[in-house]
Amino acid sequence: MSTPTVIAGQMDAKGLRIAIVATRFNDFIVDRLVGGAVDFLERHGLDTANLTIVRIPGAFELPLVCRKLAASRTYDGIVALGAVIRGATPHFDYVCAEASKGIAQTMLEHETPVGFGLLTCDSIDQAIERAGSKAGNKGVEAAAAMLETIRVLEQL
Ligand code: INI
């Protein structure tokens, strides 16, 4: 009986060069995402000397900065972190749409895994829940997804 070929990523960050891009907007939330991502990567073998953290104004700037980092071919993967919280105007929808579309485009254009850790929340409470409390830490999840994808791509 034959068995399928299974390709899966090892959760091992040893030897990788990683960039985290994090917004200053809503930094009281985003700093928790950064902390989670850094802790996850270091516990999975990342050498801190190979980690670069880039602080940027807001989520709208995430695609440009991720793209520039990916184009440099200096990093094996990128973690994009931010928090957009709905206000009284449609601004939220424009920022979320452009940020998510631009990050996805960056991954495809440069074949560089980007962990999508942008919270898009209706309230501050929802953001707090996703930044290290009730609903986990989306910075950790984004770092884990990026790491797994790097290790999968190496085998394809
Ligand atoms: N940027 C965010 O990262 N989160 C937000 O909630 C947000 N809101 O609500 O306005 C936000 N706006 C700023 C935007 O990302 C740009 O930095 C700004 O428009 C300048 O280009």
Side-chain angles (χ1 to χ4, degrees):
M1 213 174 82
S2 56
T3 54
T5 301
V6 177
I7 296 174
Q10 293 294 311
M11 298 305 269
D12 177 10
K14 233 174 268 133
L16 297 179
R17 294 156 310 163
I18 303 296
I20 292 176
V21 187
T23 64
R24 292 189 196 286
F25 211 107
N26 292 324
D27 63 353
F28 73 108
I29 295 290
V30 178
D31 287 350
R32 305 304 302 263
L33 304 179
V34 173
V38 170
D39 178 62
F40 174 88
L41 291 167
E42 288 181 347
R43 282 189 295 109
H44 287 78
L46 184 71
D47 181 346
T48 309
N50 290 338
L51 176 64
T52 301
I53 299 176
V54 184
R55 298 307 298 237
I56 64 167
F60 197 73
E61 285 72 40
L62 279 171
L64 174 63
V65 177
C66 288
R67 192 179 162 138
K68 180 92 179 167
L69 290 165
S72 76
R73 313 304 311 169
T74 304
Y75 302 99
D76 300 294
I78 299 166
V79 187
L81 301 176
V84 194
I85 300 172
R86 194 182 285 280
T89 70
H91 188 75
F92 170 94
D93 301 294
Y94 292 102
V95 173
C96 293
E98 293 313 312
S100 52
K101 201 167 52 182
I103 289 169
Q105 265 173 15
T106 297
M107 283 216 275
L108 298 176
E109 270 172 34
H110 296 284
E111 295 192 1
T112 298
V114 183
F116 184 68
L118 177 65
L119 302 182
T120 54
C121 299
D122 287 331
S123 67
I124 289 176
D125 280 352
Q126 281 184 355
I128 291 169
E129 282 173 11
R130 287 157 181 77
S133 57
K134 261 202 273 185
N137 185 318
K138 298 298 170 189
V140 173
E141 286 179 29
M146 174 212 62
L147 176 55
E148 189 173 349
T149 308
I150 291 171
R151 294 310 191 191
V152 167
L153 288 186
E154 286 172 347
Q155 301 172 67
L156 301 180

